[in-house]
Amino acid sequence: MRLEGSCHCGAVRFSLTSRHPVPYQRCYCSICRKTQGGGGYAINLGGEADSLDVSGRSHIRTFHAVMHEEEDARSEAERSFCGQCGTALWLWDKRWPELIHPFASAIDTELPVPPETTHIMLASKANWVEPSIGKNDKTFDGYPEEAIAAWHQRLGLEDGDDD
Ligand SMILES: [Zn+2]
Ligand SMILES: [Zn+2]
């Protein structure tokens, strides 16, 4: 499906094609929490990098998160945000250049409601965050076994090539 997104102030607008648009995966790591996840977690979607259209690109700023474990080490992932209002937009990683991961919070298109949720990086969550874990949800202290594409395939929710 085609996803439309924007930052809060409207300086940046974008759209992209996503076969994996279900906002099912909550990441509780400190990077997601501080940069994007006010409720304790952030949600990334799976999209196709070469389908990304952006207006207001000059307002975009990027950074590579500091990995606290190893001093001075930076994440390979490049995070983009609006330099005017600070809205987190998407994550892109040169190790998987064909993929792009927009934050669900920046998407304006109505997204499918996830039938189950995966909770990841729970070992890094803040003490005050109480994850709401449903009956079929999966939980991981670190990264999950299942990639975003595989989750959609297992549940029959991969979007077709209709656009
Ligand atoms: Zn903005
Ligand atoms: Zn995270």
Side-chain angles (χ1 to χ4, degrees), residues 7-12 82-87:
C7 67
H8 163 70
C9 78
V12 180
C82 173
Q84 300 290 314
C85 70
T87 296

Side-chain angles (χ1 to χ4, degrees), residues 68-120:
H68 295 285
E69 292 84 349
E70 311 140 73
E71 238 176 295
D72 267 4
R74 295 272 169 171
S75 167
E76 300 259 33
E78 178 187 88
R79 288 172 162 81
S80 291
F81 65 99
C82 173
Q84 300 290 314
C85 70
T87 296
L89 298 167
W90 59 75
L91 181 154
W92 178 81
D93 193 315
K94 64 175 188 293
R95 292 170 292 177
W96 302 281
E98 68 282 6
L99 302 177
I100 191 162
H101 297 292
F103 289 106
S105 52
I107 300 297
D108 300 312
T109 304
E110 281 195 18
L111 296 173
V113 175
E116 62 176 66
T117 296
T118 298
H119 305 262
I120 71 170

Side-chain angles (χ1 to χ4, degrees), residues 20-26 43-45 104 111-114 116-117 151-152:
H20 307 118
V22 181
Y24 76 94
Q25 183 159 271
R26 302 179 180 182
I43 300 176
N44 290 335
L45 308 175
L111 296 173
V113 175
E116 62 176 66
T117 296
W151 183 94
H152 284 74

Side-chain angles (χ1 to χ4, degrees), residues 25-29 118-122 140-144:
Q25 183 159 271
R26 302 179 180 182
C27 183
Y28 297 80
C29 83
T118 298
H119 305 262
I120 71 170
M121 301 296 283
L122 283 166
F140 297 90
D141 280 345
Y143 287 109

